Amino acid sequence: MSEKNIIEINQISKNYERKIALSSLSFVVEKGELIALIGPSGAGKTTLLNLLASILEADSGELLVDGKPMSQFSDQKKRAKKIGIIRQQFDLVGQLPVIHNVLAGRLADWGFFKSLFNLFIPQERQEATTALKRVGLPDKLYERTSNLSGGEQQRVALARLLMQKPEIILADEPVASLDPARADDVLDMLTKLAKEEHQTVIASLHSVDYARKYFTRLIALKNGKLFFDLPADQVTDKQLEELYQLKELS
Amino acid sequence: MLSFDLHKRKFLTVFLLLLFAWSLMGVNWQEGVMHSSGISTAGEIFAAMFTPDLSMDILLLAAESSWLTLAYATAGMSLALILALIFGILASGVLSSGKRSRTLMKGSFRGVLGFMRAIHELVWAWLFVASFGLSPYAAIFALAIPYGGILGRIFADMINDVPEEPIKALRATGASRLQCLFYGYLPSVKNSMISYTMYRYECAVRSSAIMSFVGLGGLGYQIQLSLDDLHYDEVWTFLYFLIILVVIIDGWSNMLRRRMAQ
Ligand SMILES: Nc1ncnc2c1ncn2[C@@H]1O[C@H](COP(=O)(O)OP(=O)(O)O)[C@@H](O)[C@H]1O
Ligand SMILES: [Mg+2]
């Protein structure tokens, strides 16, 4: 086992009742890689990300983070330092002002009284402001989060992740609800910031173009199985065509 | 399955209609509902509507009684709110971790809330007056317990209706259950909680007025005294004060709601 492998997935399977979502999937992720998960809907991308975030548990197989099984990360607070996940914009609490949604990224490090006090007098304002500046929302600190547009909310979620500073960032369709210009913006920011902080990113994406543009490695899933796993510049159009084909050619 | 459900619902409707019809027959319409001079007394009472007694001492008495009624309602409601927050949060089960402890917690605290509101405030008032006499505490507790039960139940339901996704996201950022309560659940339901509490406050003022029939003082008590003396014009003065109280609270809650909507 190499020191550099931050995630190792061995023969992992997951079924929902009778439906197979993932079947004996294996791959290894090195620290600092930018990985896009692609594949038709129902391929198992969300399931895989939820397994990695331990929102779900695998039926069989082995999942190692830093060489240790997931069960050793059962403490919510410790796991939050290792793995962070962003999904779509409904991940934020709409009624809170932006700054509190951003500072929620620090809850893992804060005790109860500090976090309660923070709701009245925001703590670590400097850091929150910096995080919001980095995602391009410097003047929305006290705006009600639900008043922001979809793209802005996604960037607030990103700012929260900056405060959380996990080593691994999981993102499930982070740009599915955004218009193309905003999607470019968010992905550009996500990958750029991750590079700066030497974070590892695994993001599921609808669009192959975005995957190729911003990520270094593409993992394609189809029917819960690995379809290909290649550096972004080695993926051919023919492979992509087969990936998204509805029926297998016989 | 669906058609069976529809069937059942129709059956229930018919059953309820029959029950209603039967209850009408249960009332003895021939005697007792109105006494002989009923019609003329009713006429006098409604005629007095346009000539409320506006003499200085009645106005002062009405103002003082309104103040008392409002004070009972406010104190009772504040206590109810505290009870409701504590029991409501516990009854929502969001603080417990395991599935089993959650079910247990939900079940037992919902039971407590059910007990609190199963008994009407007037009955509580009787009980308290019987046990520790005519004291303001009797009125305040009598209001606080059933209103705490109602508010707590509604708060618990509101908390349970908060969307899962933002809460899961908070958990994923490392928030504890208690932190989730203050960063996820409570901010999400705060506005509806305030709206509903204001609405209930209005009800509490009316209840508090009625409660004073038990002898606790306030608008209801004065209305009763004036009715006994057949001073219908005074009755209307007190009623108008009660209406003004309710209208003021309604206006205040509208103002709050408008401010929250921004
Ligand atoms: N909660 C669930 N219950 C039952 N089946 C599910 C559930 N979630 C996902 N599935 C099924 O598992 C498969 C993989 O789903 P998912 O991981 O969401 O795919 P993707 O994110 O790639 O679209 C799909 O066939 C889907 O229908
Ligand atoms: Mg999905």
Side-chain angles (χ1 to χ4, degrees), chain A residues 16-17 19-22 39-48 56 172-173 204 206 221:
Chain A
Y16 294 107
E17 283 113 52
K19 188 139 189 38
I20 300 170
L22 290 176
S41 71
K45 305 180 294 291
T46 299
T47 306
L48 178 58
L56 288 176
D172 192 12
E173 310 267 3
S204 73
H206 251 26
L221 295 180

Side-chain angles (χ1 to χ4, degrees), chain A residues 184-239:
Chain A
D184 260 315
D185 229 29
V186 167
L187 284 177
D188 187 45
M189 206 128 44
L190 176 69
T191 48
K192 206 176 76 205
L193 295 175
K195 270 185 228 158
E196 285 171 24
E197 307 278 340
H198 307 290
Q199 288 162 309
T200 310
V201 179
I202 305 179
S204 73
L205 290 173
H206 251 26
S207 147
V208 179
D209 295 332
Y210 288 139
R212 281 168 142 170
K213 189 166 169 194
Y214 294 104
F215 293 82
T216 51
R217 176 179 166 192
L218 267 50
I219 294 181
L221 295 180
K222 189 172 190 177
N223 299 325
K225 294 197 190 75
L226 196 68
F227 191 72
F228 63 75
D229 175 359
L230 292 168
D233 47 11
Q234 289 179 22
V235 177
T236 65
D237 288 343
K238 188 163 177 299
Q239 282 169 317

